[in-house]
Amino acid sequence: MIVVHHLNESRSQRILWLLEELQAPYEIVFYQRDARTGLAPVELREIHPLGKSPVITEGDRVIAESGAIIDYIIRRHGEGRLQPDPSSELYDEYVQWLHYAEGSAILPLVMKTLTLRVGKVLAPLGRQADSEVALHLGFINEKLAGRDFLLGDELTAADVQMSFVGELAGAVIDRGAYPNIEAWRRRFQARPAYQAALARGGPSRLAQ
C-alpha cells in the first residue's frame, strides 16, 4: 500500500487528492512544520535524504518529487484513468503540464510570495517576479479558455499537478485578473475527491 509522508501546508496535499480521485487505498504519516521557522521536521530525512514533502513509500520503493510521484501512481494504480492515451498527441501536452508546474510556473509565484513578505528589500526582484507571474499566468489563463480543465472537459493528473500553481496564484495576485484560472481553481476545489483529501490530510490555507 502507498504511504504518503504528508507535511502540513505543503504540496503533498495534491498527492492525497490524486489518490482520492483514483479511490486507491493509502495511508498517511503526518509531519508538522516548525512553528517558528516553517521548515519541515528532520524526521522526514529518515524517509528521504532531502527531507522534503511530498514523498511516498510503497514496499521498498521511495519516490520523491511531485511529478515523479504522480507519474508513478498513475502508471501503477491508475488503470488508464486521469491521463490521455499515451499514443495520442494530447498525451504529449499532458506530460508538458506535469513538468511545467514545478519546472517553470511555480518559481515566479514563490518569488512573488517572498517579495510580499520582505517589501522594499527585494524591490528589484519583485518587479522581475511580477513580469514572470504575468507571463506564466497569462499563458495558463489562455490555455484554459473554453475548457473546464487543462486538457479539455475531463480532469487529468495534469490538473492535480498544476493545482498548487493555481492555488498559490490565488493567494498572491488579484484573482479577477485571470478569470479562467479562478474558475478552474473553484471547479477542482469543489470536487468530492479534493474535499475528501482535505478531510484526511488536514486544512490548507490555499484551499480557499
Side-chain angles (χ1 to χ4, degrees):
M1 180 181 293
I2 290 175
V3 177
V4 181
H5 297 268
H6 176 55
L7 179 66
N8 68 305
E9 298 290 355
S10 79
R11 303 175 203 191
S12 61
Q13 185 65 44
R14 59 186 166 183
I15 305 304
L16 304 183
W17 174 27
L18 176 64
L19 290 165
E20 290 289 343
E21 289 284 354
L22 295 172
Q23 297 184 319
Y26 67 96
E27 296 178 353
I28 304 176
V29 177
F30 290 91
Y31 301 82
Q32 293 292 316
R33 294 183 182 276
D34 183 277
R36 182 177 60 84
T37 65
L39 298 177
V42 295
E43 287 80 6
L44 266 171
R45 293 183 183 175
E46 298 173 8
I47 309 303
H48 189 280
L50 294 178
K52 306 294 184 181
S53 181
V55 60
I56 66 168
T57 54
E58 185 172 37
D60 59 355
R61 291 185 175 91
V62 180
I63 314 292
E65 295 295 332
S66 298
I69 292 169
I70 288 173
D71 177 69
Y72 174 88
I73 291 172
I74 291 293
R75 281 188 291 108
R76 294 187 173 272
H77 299 276
E79 299 177 346
R81 294 169 292 168
L82 296 186
Q83 70 172 23
D85 183 335
S87 65
S88 70
E89 291 185 8
L90 202 58
Y91 185 80
D92 297 328
E93 184 178 355
Y94 163 82
V95 172
Q96 288 179 59
W97 285 117
L98 287 184
H99 292 281
Y100 172 72
E102 298 293 333
S104 297
I106 200 63
L107 179 58
L109 289 165
V110 171
M111 291 168 58
K112 177 68 173 177
T113 302
L114 290 174
T115 59
L116 288 173
R117 290 177 181 173
V118 298
K120 295 181 179 179
V121 176
L122 293 180
L125 180 60
R127 289 190 291 272
Q128 179 66 26
D130 288 342
S131 175
E132 288 295 307
V133 165
L135 173 67
H136 287 283
L137 295 188
F139 167 72
I140 299 166
N141 196 68
E142 181 179 353
K143 287 292 185 179
L144 283 166
R147 298 179 175 184
D148 285 346
F149 298 102
L150 289 169
L151 297 182
D153 295 333
E154 300 294 330
L155 178 92
T156 70
D159 296 283
V160 177
Q161 173 72 332
M162 283 289 294
S163 64
F164 187 77
V165 174
E167 290 180 325
L168 186 57
V172 299
I173 54 92
D174 175 12
R175 291 176 174 178
Y178 303 97
N180 296 332
I181 294 177
E182 176 62 8
W184 168 66
R185 184 189 66 82
R186 290 182 178 275
R187 194 174 295 119
F188 70 67
Q189 286 185 341
R191 293 179 68 86
Y194 181 97
Q195 295 298 321
L198 281 179
R200 286 195 65 175
S204 169
R205 287 172 292 180
L206 295 181
Q208 298 176 5

